[in-house]
Amino acid sequence: MESLSASNAEAFELPPYVADSYIDLKQLPDGRYIGTVRLLYHWTMHIDIDDVGYADRYCFATYELAKKAFDEWSGVGDPEGWHRHPTSGRRKDLTTGREWVDF
């Protein structure tokens, strides 16, 4: 799973306007695209990116946590280091490992 910078949009089957919006972008073995992007106060990893959006995302406190998850995640289960999963409403305290649902 080689990670290419989003500036290499031609390497992906995504329009440049999509690929260029990600800091990191790669294709998982199952064919889904994942990418990291900065939001106002945190970083996210988008899952199953296509030309109209994405199917899921995980939130991270820092770029370092998002990048580590991006580099290491196989696409199965949850990536490591997330603190919020908006789709499920789950939140996670990284210090204690405690998880809860908070919509």
Side-chain angles (χ1 to χ4, degrees), residues 19-64:
D20 291 346
S21 64
Y22 290 93
I23 303 299
D24 305 293
L25 184 65
K26 73 178 177 183
Q27 190 171 25
L28 294 172
D30 65 9
R32 294 179 296 166
Y33 289 103
I34 65 172
T36 60
V37 65
R38 175 155 176 111
L39 296 181
L40 190 58
Y41 297 109
H42 63 276
W43 288 83
T44 67
M45 184 169 68
H46 292 172
I47 316 299
D48 202 7
I49 300 163
D50 61 26
D51 58 346
V52 295
Y54 56 90
D56 203 359
R57 78 175 186 192
Y58 288 88
C59 300
F60 300 85
T62 66
Y63 173 70
E64 291 75 22

Side-chain angles (χ1 to χ4, degrees), residues 1-102:
M1 286 187 298
E2 181 178 332
S3 171
L4 299 174
S5 71
S7 63
N8 296 326
E10 66 278 358
F12 301 101
E13 296 173 5
L14 294 169
Y17 69 87
V18 173
D20 291 346
S21 64
Y22 290 93
I23 303 299
D24 305 293
L25 184 65
K26 73 178 177 183
Q27 190 171 25
L28 294 172
D30 65 9
R32 294 179 296 166
Y33 289 103
I34 65 172
T36 60
V37 65
R38 175 155 176 111
L39 296 181
L40 190 58
Y41 297 109
H42 63 276
W43 288 83
T44 67
M45 184 169 68
H46 292 172
I47 316 299
D48 202 7
I49 300 163
D50 61 26
D51 58 346
V52 295
Y54 56 90
D56 203 359
R57 78 175 186 192
Y58 288 88
C59 300
F60 300 85
T62 66
Y63 173 70
E64 291 75 22
L65 288 169
K67 178 67 166 131
K68 184 173 181 352
F70 173 87
D71 288 341
E72 296 175 357
W73 191 52
S74 69
V76 177
D78 292 322
E80 294 294 320
W82 63 275
H83 69 204
R84 184 168 176 255
H85 183 240
T87 306
S88 66
R90 292 181 298 150
R91 293 181 182 260
K92 187 174 195 175
D93 182 321
L94 295 179
T95 305
T96 65
R98 178 180 165 258
E99 264 187 53
W100 68 96
V101 175
D102 186 16

